[in-house]
Amino acid sequence: MTRTTRNAPSPRAGRGAPPEHRHPARTPRVPVGWAAFLALIGYGLAQLYWALGGRGFPFGADDANPEYSAFEHIGRAQLAPWLAAGFLLCAAVALLLALPGRRRVPAPVLLGVTALAVAAVLGTLADFRILGNLAYVFMLRFSAINWTVINQVFAVVAVGLMTMSAVAYQRRTTGACVSCGRTDSGAGWTSPAAAARWGRKAAYTAVVVPLVYASTRWAWALGYPLGISDKLWQEGKRDHLWLFGAALATMGALGSLLTLGLVQRWGEVFPRWMIGLRGRRVPPALAIVPASLVAVMVTTAGIMYIRLHFQGAFDDPKHNWGATVPETIWPVWGIALAAATLAYYFRRRGACKRCGRGSR
């Protein structure tokens, strides 16, 4: 017969303790932080190579389509050094975010640099061509994807990893669970009930906005030059552009309807008509990953159109507003979709295997 010592911990002890005290041996180094550091320092060194005269610089005046670039009239000699400095600075910040424990650099500085890096990449380097080239991927036309788009994707992925590292750092330094982000103070707006309320509003917004865009393309295909001049409509009609545009708009509209799965039952359990899957639980990642990617792509595309409007790149906007203005509300679509996806995550994540919070 074994004797239980007085100081032996109860099997349920630690349920209310801070996450870092529950599994001291598992204090993480957050692999995503190191991935962010490697991606950013690698791309910073690539920019340095281009700044020193290397070939293949993808941005600004060297862009294959400089008219879409925020740095259309800026060449490699002027732009590459600034990009090298920016990415190398981000790499240094990513390193500080990845190292365990608190840093001497204040957390608001690290998180602020991360936010600025994301805004800079999404607002200047990335544009609608990422979304457009996605069609080439589905068509297996990989040769149609140009060098600039490849670099845009890499830059977006790098700052995306940096953002994930910043979230992990914020959790570590505030006593939250590094796995789920929950604290002992309660779930609040991240609780399943609260997320269901605001997530529903976000999801409906993400459905309506792309329909506004699609309505103009459907009108053109049906013979109504909504928002464009008769001359432009006739030119597009001769080249069958409006039928092609309507087909793409329809695909986008159908895709937007899938957003309802983030707030409907069929987004959690496969419906009956799906033979072989009916009644099974929908893996959260099956909805979260594609929705997150689309949110980023449509947001960057919309930001580009807004930027081009301010740059005066569109001719005769009063008579041809239908060709460009609907795209300027895409950031609303992207942000709403991102919010709906986040709410879906909060509702589906369940109890945390690390800290035990979230169990009913």
Side-chain angles (χ1 to χ4, degrees):
M1 181 175 178
T2 58
R3 226 167 88 182
T4 304
T5 60
R6 183 173 299 178
N7 295 327
S10 168
R12 299 183 62 86
R15 176 60 64 92
E20 65 270 22
H21 295 154
R22 236 166 282 166
H23 301 285
R26 295 176 59 189
T27 301
R29 280 184 174 250
V30 191
V32 70
W34 297 106
F37 168 70
L38 293 175
L40 289 165
I41 196 170
Y43 204 51
L45 292 175
Q47 296 292 338
L48 184 59
Y49 163 76
W50 287 320
L52 295 175
R55 295 182 179 181
F57 185 63
F59 300 118
D62 296 82
D63 191 333
N65 300 102
E67 65 274 14
Y68 299 134
S69 175
F71 310 104
E72 178 181 0
H73 303 294
I74 304 177
R76 177 192 60 186
Q78 295 78 32
L79 183 57
W82 285 100
L83 292 180
F87 279 105
L88 291 175
L89 172 62
C90 288
V93 171
L95 178 61
L96 293 176
L97 292 172
L99 293 173
R102 292 179 179 271
R103 307 268 63 80
R104 292 185 178 181
V105 180
V109 174
L110 299 177
L111 301 179
V113 172
T114 301
L116 288 175
V118 173
V121 169
L122 298 186
T124 61
L125 295 184
D127 57 47
F128 87 109
R129 285 175 288 179
I130 296 179
L131 181 62
N133 276 250
L134 183 62
Y136 294 137
V137 173
F138 287 117
M139 296 167 62
L140 302 180
R141 294 178 56 190
F142 299 105
S143 60
I145 301 175
N146 63 50
W147 177 237
T148 296
V149 173
I150 293 174
N151 279 267
Q152 289 179 353
V153 171
F154 191 90
V156 171
V157 170
V159 296
L161 291 172
M162 185 180 181
T163 301
M164 296 169 64
S165 181
V167 171
Y169 173 82
Q170 192 272 341
R171 289 175 177 177
R172 296 200 312 272
T173 56
T174 57
C177 175
V178 294
S179 179
C180 69
R182 295 183 177 99
T183 65
D184 289 329
S185 60
W189 65 278
T190 66
S191 68
R197 290 192 296 271
W198 57 263
R200 189 175 297 109
K201 297 177 182 178
Y204 292 152
T205 302
V207 171
V208 171
V209 172
L211 294 180
V212 174
Y213 164 79
S215 64
T216 59
R217 274 55 186 174
W218 292 333
W220 300 346
L222 294 174
Y224 299 96
L226 177 65
I228 59 175
S229 65
D230 291 335
K231 178 182 178 182
L232 180 59
W233 182 78
Q234 290 293 344
E235 292 175 354
K237 181 181 178 182
R238 286 196 300 269
D239 297 330
H240 304 290
L241 292 180
W242 308 143
L243 293 178
F244 182 69
L248 291 178
T250 301
M251 292 177 60
L254 292 175
S256 73
L257 293 179
L258 293 177
T259 304
L260 293 175
L262 298 175
V263 293
Q264 299 290 337
R265 175 66 175 170
W266 54 268
E268 300 181 23
V269 178
F270 288 109
R272 294 180 179 178
W273 58 267
M274 298 192 71
I275 300 175
L277 293 175
R278 66 178 66 177
R280 294 187 180 183
R281 180 175 177 269
V282 176
L286 187 63
I288 293 172
V289 173
S292 300
L293 293 176
V294 172
V296 172
M297 288 188 289
V298 298
T299 300
T300 56
I303 291 173
M304 187 209 72
Y305 276 97
I306 293 174
R307 173 170 51 78
L308 291 179
H309 264 286
F310 280 109
Q311 292 175 344
F314 300 122
D315 295 331
D316 202 9
K318 292 183 178 179
H319 295 91
N320 294 313
W321 61 265
T324 56
V325 171
E327 289 89 337
T328 62
I329 62 174
W330 281 4
V332 177
W333 175 14
I335 293 172
L337 178 57
T341 305
L342 183 62
Y344 179 84
Y345 162 73
F346 286 146
R347 290 193 301 105
R348 297 292 312 279
R349 60 181 174 174
C352 179
K353 295 180 181 180
R354 181 180 180 82
C355 69
R357 297 187 179 101
S359 58
R360 297 178 180 177

